[in-house]
């Protein structure tokens, strides 16, 4: 999303320096002045949001993680052989790194692992877990916004790099942003490859419950963005004055998540009052769903060549190796 474009070093967790909260406030304010109002989905991911996302991955309605894990488990030997020995694996938006553990175990002597995430506490905890389970792998966590330039540790300067980009995170970007991101990742791994996962178009009856589960975990995840804003920027959102909404937009081929204001209300941000009418929404996330053809065209425009595709029996999800 457009607002993700700004540097978000200030997403470093409590206790660490916040470099430029004013820039952050300005970008949130700008989004809330648009019609419809919007905020960046990076606001989901403080420590609580990262834990809620892990819970979402276990939900019966959220087929995404289960399906991707099943494809990985079935085809990892072939994927690992194609990635080749001694790779330095870079993972944008690494989260808990459940799938990475499987990939690293399948790879032949990976030289290093560089997880990159805005949720710094969660990132450090996942890196510490991986180090203790696999002490022979050098793990270099990077707390950064992967849509902005970030440094891969100097020690890995000459390593053969492979990007691992699972979780359908690419789906959070519109076509223009996705092309730009994929092109940037290509420059990060010159001569290397990228194993990327994306979600496929399917009936709304399957898609909508995956983003609006019966237990209300996705609702809590969406509403947590307001708590995160309050804590981080001193806004005074009342999460009880909003409710979660997930809709399938067939024209744009995306699930949209919104927070709907349940009443007319005013929210104070950066010394200004932002008015919400009853029923007015904040657009918090898009999750684009692809056909094979549409993803191929995206990858091609970004300068990647598709080498191999793996999918599940229902054609719900695709993992692809790009070079
Ligand atoms: C959908 S989750 C996927 C997590 C994991 N890769 C998986 O497959 O389960 C997205 C992850 O990307 C991180 N993230 C989202 N936007 C980001 C950004 N712009 N820069 C860095 N990390 C980001 C979030 O903190 C979260 O861990």
């Amino acid at each position: 999303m457009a607002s993700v474009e700004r540097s978000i070093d200030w997403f470093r967790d409590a206790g660490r320096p916040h470099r430029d909260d004013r820039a952050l406030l300005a970008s949130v304010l700008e989004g809330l002045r648009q019609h419809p109002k919007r905020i960046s989905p990076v606001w989901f991911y403080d420590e609580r949001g990262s834990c809620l996302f892990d819970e979402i991955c276990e939900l019966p309605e959220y087929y995404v993680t289960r399906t991707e894990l099943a494809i990985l488990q079935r085809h990892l030997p072939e994927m690992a052989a194609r990635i080749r020995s001694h790779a330095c694996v870079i993972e944008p938006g690494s989260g808990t790194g459940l799938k990475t553990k499987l990939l690293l175990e399948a790879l032949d002597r990976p030289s290093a692992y560089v997880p990159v995430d805005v949720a710094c506490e969660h990132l450090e905890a996942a890196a510490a877990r991986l180090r203790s389970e696999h002490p022979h792998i050098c793990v270099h966590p990077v707390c950064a916004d992967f849509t902005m330039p970030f440094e891969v540790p100097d020690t890995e300067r000459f390593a053969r790099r492979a990007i691992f980009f699972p979780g359908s995170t690419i789906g959070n970007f519109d076509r223009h942003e996705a092309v730009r991101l994929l092109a940037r990742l290509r420059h990060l791994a010159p001569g290397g490859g990228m194993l990327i996962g994306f979600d496929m178009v399917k009936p709304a009856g399957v898609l909508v419950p995956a983003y609006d589960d019966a237990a209300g975990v996705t609702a809590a995840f969406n509403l947590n963005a307001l708590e995160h804003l309050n804590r981080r920027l001193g806004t005074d959102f009342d999460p009880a004055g909003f409710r979660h909404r997930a809709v399938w937009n067939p024209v744009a081929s995306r699930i949209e998540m919104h927070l709907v204001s349940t009443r007319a209300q005013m929210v104070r941000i950066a010394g200004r009052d932002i008015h919400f009418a009853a029923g007015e929404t904040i657009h918090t996330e898009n999750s684009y769903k692809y056909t094979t053809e549409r993803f191929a065209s995206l990858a091609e425009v970004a300068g990647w060549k598709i080498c191999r595709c793996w999918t599940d029996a229902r054609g719900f999800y695709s993992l692809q190796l790009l070079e």
Side-chain angles (χ1 to χ4, degrees):
M1 302 195 150
S3 44
V4 178
E5 293 304 312
R6 292 164 192 278
S7 168
I8 46 169
D9 281 350
W10 354 265
F11 269 82
R12 290 178 174 279
D13 288 319
R16 299 198 186 200
H18 295 173
R19 204 188 286 167
D20 191 356
D21 276 1
R22 272 175 310 176
L24 184 55
L25 268 169
S27 103
V28 171
L29 197 58
E30 183 189 313
L32 291 177
R33 283 176 161 165
Q34 291 177 21
H35 299 284
K37 294 177 167 55
R38 58 194 306 144
I39 55 171
S40 163
V42 289
W43 283 106
F44 293 146
Y45 296 103
D46 59 357
E47 182 53 17
R48 177 161 183 261
S50 299
C51 293
L52 284 167
F53 180 73
D54 289 344
E55 270 186 56
I56 290 173
C57 292
E58 307 265 319
L59 292 169
E61 296 96 329
Y62 197 72
Y63 60 84
V64 179
T65 307
R66 255 190 316 281
T67 311
E68 188 173 39
L69 274 172
I71 301 172
L72 278 172
Q73 270 154 346
R74 181 144 184 231
H75 299 286
L76 264 173
E78 186 191 349
M79 293 169 176
R82 285 176 178 266
I83 291 173
R84 291 191 264 161
S85 314
H86 302 293
C88 164
V89 177
I90 302 173
E91 183 176 6
S94 47
T96 298
L98 182 66
K99 298 157 197 166
T100 326
K101 192 166 130 48
L102 297 178
L103 178 68
L104 291 173
E105 283 167 0
L107 284 173
D108 180 32
R109 288 161 291 162
S111 70
Y113 172 52
V114 181
V116 183
D117 208 292
V118 279
C120 306
E121 246 179 57
H122 211 68
L123 172 75
E124 296 286 353
R129 251 191 328 270
L130 198 71
R131 275 193 204 106
S132 74
E133 288 168 13
H134 298 279
H136 57 288
I137 301 177
C138 301
V139 183
H140 305 285
V142 175
C143 180
D145 177 352
F146 61 65
T147 66
M148 305 292 290
F150 60 85
E151 297 284 322
V152 173
D154 215 33
T155 45
E156 307 310 326
R157 211 173 355 159
F158 302 113
R160 197 187 131 75
R161 294 175 180 179
I163 312 270
F164 185 41
F165 199 17
S168 196
T169 304
I170 191 64
N172 295 147
F173 299 89
D174 69 24
R175 183 180 163 88
H176 175 70
E177 292 162 346
V179 165
R180 198 165 38 186
L181 177 58
L182 293 184
R184 258 189 14 82
L185 293 176
R186 185 166 59 80
H187 291 299
L188 199 65
M194 169 154 70
L195 183 60
I196 183 168
F198 61 88
D199 201 13
M200 310 275 287
V201 175
K202 56 185 67 62
V206 179
L207 285 168
V208 174
Y211 293 83
D212 194 5
D213 58 284
V217 183
T218 316
F221 174 70
N222 198 5
L223 286 159
N224 181 60
L226 302 182
E227 306 266 18
H228 190 189
L229 279 166
N230 285 350
R231 200 183 59 254
R232 190 59 198 276
L233 297 182
T235 55
D236 67 351
F237 280 101
D238 173 13
F242 291 84
R243 69 180 169 76
H244 168 67
R245 179 191 285 164
V247 288
W248 169 237
N249 176 337
V251 176
S253 193
R254 68 187 189 204
I255 284 281
E256 295 177 5
M257 295 218 306
H258 298 264
L259 288 168
V260 186
S261 178
T262 56
R263 49 181 155 81
Q265 58 185 313
M266 210 72 97
V267 175
R268 189 118 183 114
I269 169 162
R272 291 182 175 79
D273 288 324
I274 300 288
H275 178 258
F276 286 82
E280 191 176 0
T281 72
I282 312 175
H283 190 165
T284 51
E285 188 187 58
N286 288 320
S287 185
Y288 284 87
K289 308 300 170 188
Y290 286 97
T291 59
T292 311
E293 296 72 27
R294 226 179 300 135
F295 185 80
S297 120
L298 186 79
E300 193 184 320
V301 175
W304 289 96
K305 189 170 86 115
I306 295 174
C307 296
R308 186 79 170 88
C309 309
W310 298 270
T311 189
D312 55 295
R314 296 182 296 183
F316 269 18
Y317 196 86
S318 184
L319 268 157
Q320 305 206 344
L321 188 69
L322 315 182
E323 277 184 6

